[in-house]
Amino acid sequence: MNHLYYGDNLAVLRESIADETVDLIYLDPPFNSNASYNVLFKGPSGNESAAQIEAFDDTWSWNDTAEEAFGEVLRSGNGAAAEMLRAMRSFLGENDMMAYLAMMAVRLLELHRVLKPTGSLYLHCDPTASHYLKILLDAVFGPKNFKNEIDWKRTSTHSDAKTWSNNADCILFYAKSEKDFIWNTPREPHSAEYIKSKYGRDDNDGLGPYRLDNMTSPSPRPNMMYEWRGFPFPEKGWRYQRETMQRLDDEGRIWYPTTETGEFNTSRRPQLKRYLNEMEGGVMGDIWTDIPPLNSQAKERLGYPTQKPVALLERILSASSNPGDVVLDPFCGCGTTVHAAQKLDRQWIGIDVTHLAIGLIEKRLRDAFPKVEFTTHGVPQDISGARDMANRGRTDKNYYFEFEKWALSLINAQPGNLSKKGADKGIDGNVYFAKTSRAIVSVKAGDNVGVAMIRDLRGVIERERAEIGIFLTLTPPTKPMVAEAAAAGQHHEDGFDPVPRIQIVSVEDALSLRDRAVRLPARRDDTFKKAAREQDTKAQGKLEL
């Protein structure tokens, strides 16, 4: 049951996620990050492209949608949430923060609905809105179900004018029930100072350092009053029965005091050897400084500005879910949560509102887990679905831009200017190949394709000094278009067979052939950053998949 949904998470939750079917929810809803949420792509020399492709802006404003969300919370039947949101509006007014809180409140009600009685929710946020979100969560889950406010040190300290350096995020942990929720106590390793002071003994037998522990009983136990290897029994007896004592002795786990001549010193008592590698660390606290953020050189970094380390999600999933449990991330971004869930043998559901993010997650999962199985919902799976998406784009530009992103993903092309804040200059996408060569992609979703479009593309590649042009079309090309493309000649790359300079690729062919529908010499495989392949921890010896 691994599912990836493209769409508004509120609609997906209501239409596709049943009551009490999810064991753990993690969400990192965007607000006030001072950045568009982009995926960075590699440019022709392998570096990150200067052009960041806009996925969505985390800009919130009070509008009809926010007003509708506010009304839905008031009509939800959850009196506490309704009154809390009403009070917030009275205090904040109709501004960006209030719009964000209204949008979050209606979603938190749905997330509470789909969570099992034994489930938990972790909401990741920064200090800008964490205090408001905590009040909303108290209203939705109940104050008694608040468990922790975790502080994660996400970056090193830096210079801020007249403030303490803001270098931590807040993670709010709530359970659906006060006591009966999944919990696997997380522990942290002993500190070097603790090990040095407590585990100073080592017999150099390969078992490692150990400390000594008392073997006497805390209360009188008549059946434990026996002599052991010449040592008289303690006043209250030994802690272990004779059979257990013999086993510990056979395993070499008993330390015996000796005299200078090496004989047992029966005036003292034997003690138990407790080895460091068998002792659990202390219970982990709610201030996490041991998981560093992803720097520019991190192997798992995909270029998503708000990408979180897999280790952070592994810690949360390990503590609040078990293998086979269902994990949900309704703002899944670049897919760190579903990556961690797949790695830890959990089932997962991911939702995101941009096709660009969905495409990135699909590629990330298949790179990291070549045998992964999941179903993607909401994106075209066949030519009929492609036409439906294109038709919706005729009345809604957002759908048209999403169609372009989806079509480009079929041939593994880097989007060009999908924010549409300026003219695209005839460049919808790029594919880089060989060392510095470039193919420009033009995407057409309309019915009226003609030979003039091929001439336009030819002009674009000449203007841009690109080597190849790719005309990616939903409608089959006409014979004059094919002839015009052929007249453009071929591109020759040293050491490779020549390929057509203008190539017409139908969306239908791209659906079945993917990037093989395009003929390129020495195609590079780093147009998108590649996730490192994970090891199969179930296989003997952890063989790589």
Side-chain angles (χ1 to χ4, degrees):
M1 183 184 142
N2 296 327
H3 298 277
L4 192 58
Y5 289 90
Y6 161 56
D8 182 343
N9 53 26
L10 183 60
V12 173
L13 287 166
R14 288 173 171 172
E15 297 169 7
S16 302
I17 315 297
D19 294 358
E20 299 185 350
T21 54
V22 175
D23 296 284
L24 173 62
I25 298 170
Y26 169 89
L27 65 158
D28 183 11
F31 182 75
N32 198 35
S33 67
N34 295 320
S36 293
Y37 282 61
N38 307 306
V39 177
L40 304 183
F41 298 88
K42 290 192 174 182
S45 60
N47 59 311
E48 289 179 351
S49 173
Q52 297 185 2
I53 311 308
E54 180 177 312
F56 61 91
D57 289 320
D58 62 334
T59 52
W60 303 81
S61 58
W62 192 266
N63 52 26
D64 290 343
T65 304
E67 188 71 58
E68 182 180 350
F70 180 83
E72 288 190 35
V73 175
L74 266 56
R75 297 187 297 271
S76 67
N78 186 314
E83 288 306 310
M84 193 63 69
L85 199 63
R86 196 195 307 271
M88 286 180 170
R89 183 171 181 177
S90 176
F91 173 67
L92 293 171
E94 290 81 21
N95 55 20
D96 295 353
M97 176 63 79
M98 191 60 220
Y100 174 71
L101 294 172
M103 300 289 278
M104 283 303 304
V106 71
R107 285 161 173 78
L108 289 174
L109 290 171
E110 291 299 324
L111 293 173
H112 184 269
R113 174 186 64 80
V114 305
L115 201 59
K116 291 180 182 178
T118 55
S120 301
L121 176 142
Y122 288 77
L123 194 157
H124 193 136
C125 53
D126 69 16
T128 306
S130 60
H131 48 305
Y132 296 121
L133 290 170
K134 188 174 181 181
I135 293 173
L136 280 180
L137 285 164
D138 277 352
V140 174
F141 281 79
K144 291 184 178 180
N145 292 333
F146 167 71
K147 300 304 173 186
N148 282 100
E149 181 173 327
I150 300 162
D151 291 315
W152 172 53
K153 184 180 178 183
R154 58 174 168 75
T155 184
S156 57
T157 56
H158 50 274
S159 177
D160 283 323
K162 296 185 179 180
T163 64
W164 303 105
S165 181
N166 181 12
N167 64 339
D169 279 356
C170 172
I171 303 174
L172 301 171
F173 168 30
Y174 282 76
K176 193 165 185 179
S177 61
E178 186 176 353
K179 296 181 179 179
D180 186 20
F181 59 94
I182 298 170
W183 182 247
N184 304 309
T185 303
R187 296 184 180 273
E188 53 191 358
H190 296 298
S191 68
E193 294 78 9
Y194 179 82
I195 293 173
K196 183 178 180 180
S197 64
K198 300 294 185 181
Y199 290 87
R201 296 173 178 270
D202 193 333
D203 295 338
N204 297 315
D205 55 2
L207 298 177
Y210 63 89
R211 65 178 177 87
L212 299 179
D213 197 10
N214 187 13
M215 296 182 71
T216 64
S217 176
S219 58
R221 304 175 68 182
N223 62 328
M224 303 297 191
M225 306 292 190
Y226 57 86
E227 183 182 277
W228 179 256
R229 298 194 63 176
F231 290 88
F233 55 81
E235 181 181 355
K236 296 180 180 180
W238 300 107
R239 183 180 293 270
Y240 306 105
Q241 296 180 6
R242 187 182 293 274
E243 293 79 6
T244 302
M245 201 76 149
Q246 185 62 57
R247 177 178 60 79
L248 293 171
D249 185 59
D250 293 341
E251 294 173 355
R253 300 182 68 94
I254 300 178
W255 174 86
Y256 293 99
T258 58
T259 63
E260 293 182 358
T261 60
E263 298 177 348
F264 284 168
N265 181 358
T266 56
S267 65
R268 300 171 62 191
R269 292 197 181 99
Q271 291 184 274
L272 181 67
K273 296 179 183 179
R274 292 200 180 275
Y275 290 95
L276 174 63
N277 59 15
E278 297 175 343
M279 303 302 296
E280 291 183 314
V283 176
M284 188 168 292
D286 57 10
I287 298 177
W288 297 353
T289 61
D290 59 326
I291 299 177
L294 299 180
N295 60 44
S296 60
Q297 304 302 314
K299 289 184 178 180
E300 67 180 87
R301 185 177 177 86
L302 299 175
Y304 207 79
T306 57
Q307 182 179 349
K308 303 301 185 292
V310 172
L312 182 70
L313 273 301
E314 286 186 87
R315 176 170 295 175
I316 292 171
L317 268 61
S318 296
S320 292
S321 69
N322 295 313
D325 284 353
V326 178
V327 177
L328 165 65
D329 186 344
F331 295 88
C332 62
C334 66
T336 302
T337 304
V338 299
H339 184 130
Q342 183 69 31
K343 185 176 180 180
L344 296 178
D345 196 25
R346 272 67 168 166
Q347 300 178 80
W348 52 262
I349 302 169
I351 311 171
D352 202 272
V353 73
T354 68
H355 183 269
L356 202 57
I358 298 299
L360 178 66
I361 295 169
E362 289 177 321
K363 186 175 189 303
R364 176 180 187 171
L365 289 171
R366 288 175 178 136
D367 285 343
F369 309 96
K371 296 182 181 179
V372 67
E373 294 183 0
F374 61 91
T375 302
T376 303
H377 305 266
V379 297
Q381 302 296 319
D382 53 29
I383 193 64
S384 176
R387 291 195 181 103
D388 178 67
M389 191 177 195
N391 287 335
R392 284 182 286 171
R394 292 187 174 94
T395 56
D396 186 334
K397 287 186 177 180
N398 290 327
Y399 271 112
Y400 182 78
F401 299 150
E402 291 300 323
F403 173 83
E404 281 191 5
K405 297 174 191 177
W406 169 77
L408 289 167
S409 73
L410 295 178
I411 60 172
N412 202 19
Q414 168 181 324
N417 179 31
L418 296 186
S419 67
K420 299 302 178 184
K421 291 180 178 178
D424 60 20
K425 298 181 180 180
I427 305 170
D428 294 322
N430 297 286
V431 180
Y432 297 104
F433 61 95
K435 291 184 178 180
T436 58
S437 298
R438 174 190 182 192
I440 289 175
V441 185
S442 175
V443 179
K444 299 298 178 185
D447 296 326
N448 299 320
V449 294
V451 68
M453 294 178 178
I454 303 300
R455 297 192 187 105
D456 289 343
L457 178 57
R458 187 171 179 178
V460 170
I461 66 172
E462 290 173 354
R463 184 194 70 218
E464 297 292 323
R465 297 182 180 178
E467 284 70 23
I468 291 173
I470 301 169
F471 189 81
L472 185 56
T473 174
L474 183 63
T475 304
T478 63
K479 288 183 179 180
M481 291 172 65
V482 174
E484 183 68 25
Q490 294 188 316
H491 169 68
H492 297 263
E493 194 85 28
D494 289 343
F496 296 91
D497 292 335
V499 298
R501 191 164 182 235
I502 299 291
Q503 300 181 26
I504 301 176
V505 177
S506 70
V507 168
E508 188 167 13
D509 284 344
L511 271 165
S512 59
L513 299 174
R514 298 287 168 165
D515 56 2
R516 291 182 291 110
V518 178
R519 294 178 58 189
L520 295 177
R523 177 164 187 152
R524 285 170 39 179
D525 61 1
D526 62 353
T527 299
F528 295 82
K529 292 186 176 180
K530 190 172 185 177
R533 180 175 295 189
E534 294 284 359
Q535 289 185 327
D536 181 3
T537 55
K538 297 178 184 178
Q540 186 175 2
K542 296 185 179 180
L543 294 177
E544 190 173 67
L545 289 169

